[in-house]
Amino acid sequence: MTTEIVKYQRKELELKALLEITQAINENKPASILLNIFKFTCLVHLNIRSLVLYVANNDVFDQKISHGIKGKTPSSIPENQVNDNRDTDELQIQVDDGFSFEELEIYIPVYHKDKMLAILFLQKKEEHSELDLNFTQALTNILVVALENKRFASRQLEQERLKKEIEIASNVQRMLFPSNLPQTEKLKAKVTYYPHSTVGGDYYDLIQKSDDEVFFCIADVSGKGMPASLLMSNFQAALRTLLRSSSDLKMITEQLNYTIFENTNGERFITFFLGHYNFKKRELIFVNAGHNPPVLCWEGERRSELLEAGTTILGAFEELPFLEVGKRSHLKGFNLHLYTDGLTESFNSSEEEYGDERFVKFVQANLCTDPNVFHETFFKELDGFAEGTVRGDDITLLSMRFK
């Protein structure tokens, strides 16, 4: 057989190999099928008897194909144990005892710029027969790029799916908050809410049960993001259900604690403040479950106090170890400021915390101010203090004026 015929046959086989792998890529076959087609294409159409293919995955090379090997080769190789000297064409790989690449006489690296994407080790069928290494490298390159594109596309789809889920969770969370707050002479309320991310772990609510009764609350879930948002959604549903059937703050708090503990097995907790004001009785009752104490401003006496009576955080224990219901009576007119710890744990460029003490001082300097004015003035001060430092947590401030 003449040399020209041999070359022609080899080129024909190479063309078949190229056609098979590109056709599979164009048909968007799964990665496992692409790898099988590549393996059998190399074994049938090219002068290859055995091969091992490693493909880069983050900081390791994972073995994707192994065929015709008598010895043991590692399933993965850390990237820092692979050194390919492109000037001398020398490959050095550190492997543990018992592993070896000695029977594989040829290696073909696949690069994208200076990044090694894959390594193909192989052994020819016939020692004296030719193997077009450039073609084999090109074919391997086509396969590896296709695998990279698949992985990238899969990652993009996953990111899009996650983005959509977060968007839905954000919309659901917005629906949990009251759409309108009272703006009457009897009760005026203002809230400012800055979520740290698209979905937050803060929650506030104001529920007017009748003309003479109003419930209000603020809460903060441990953690951030989707898990915190989902737990808060469940918490809000449980609270609203309980408030429809009872006004007993002690029972409501105990039931909420049990629900959270049962759902999270004590692995997550919620700080929570729940208040109830009766306009006819002029009586405020409340429970503070490990939350930042709201600040009560007495209008007639021009003084303020912190509302601390209550219990520990919700969800940490199956049964609350203690529970005290606070009460303030004979209230003629007062302001109340509820907030989450993201407000007082704001930092400036010198890593100095704003702190509870500064907030209480600001309240005392602005006693019984209209809630809208209070928020405008306060957040100017907070922004001035932060000096442009990025917020590290959700911030919620709910202010109410009762007449």
Side-chain angles (χ1 to χ4, degrees), residues 254-262 266 315-321:
E254 289 174 336
Q255 188 59 49
L256 287 172
N257 175 73
Y258 177 76
T259 300
I260 298 163
F261 185 86
E262 189 178 43
F317 305 98
E318 187 172 3
E319 292 185 9
L320 293 170

Side-chain angles (χ1 to χ4, degrees), residues 170-193:
S170 179
N171 291 334
V172 169
Q173 191 174 51
R174 277 197 295 269
M175 288 189 285
L176 298 181
F177 298 133
S179 55
N180 294 297
L181 294 176
Q183 298 293 317
T184 66
E185 278 299 310
K186 194 174 183 180
L187 172 60
K188 189 171 187 179
K190 166 70 177 176
V191 70
T192 300
Y193 171 55

Side-chain angles (χ1 to χ4, degrees), residues 281-294:
K281 296 180 179 179
R282 292 188 298 160
E283 182 180 82
L284 169 68
I285 57 174
F286 63 90
V287 171
N288 187 338
H291 197 81
N292 302 79

Side-chain angles (χ1 to χ4, degrees), residues 11 14 108-109 131-142:
K11 290 297 179 186
E14 288 178 354
I108 298 175
L131 174 64
D132 190 334
L133 293 180
N134 289 331
F135 174 80
T136 307
Q137 186 175 41
L139 194 68
T140 309
N141 205 328
I142 290 170

Side-chain angles (χ1 to χ4, degrees), residues 293-295 337-339 343-344 354-364 374 378 381 397 399:
V295 187
H337 302 288
L338 288 65
Y339 63 96
L343 184 149
T344 52
Y354 183 76
D356 295 275
E357 188 177 337
R358 276 194 180 89
F359 180 67
V360 172
K361 282 184 178 179
F362 181 87
V363 172
Q364 289 171 343
F374 182 89
F378 171 72
E381 171 169 307
L397 174 62
S399 301

Side-chain angles (χ1 to χ4, degrees), residues 197-214:
S197 57
T198 309
V199 289
D202 283 5
Y203 165 61
Y204 65 90
D205 213 341
L206 192 149
I207 302 159
Q208 291 189 277
K209 205 166 184 179
S210 68
D211 290 339
D212 295 320
E213 282 186 291
V214 60

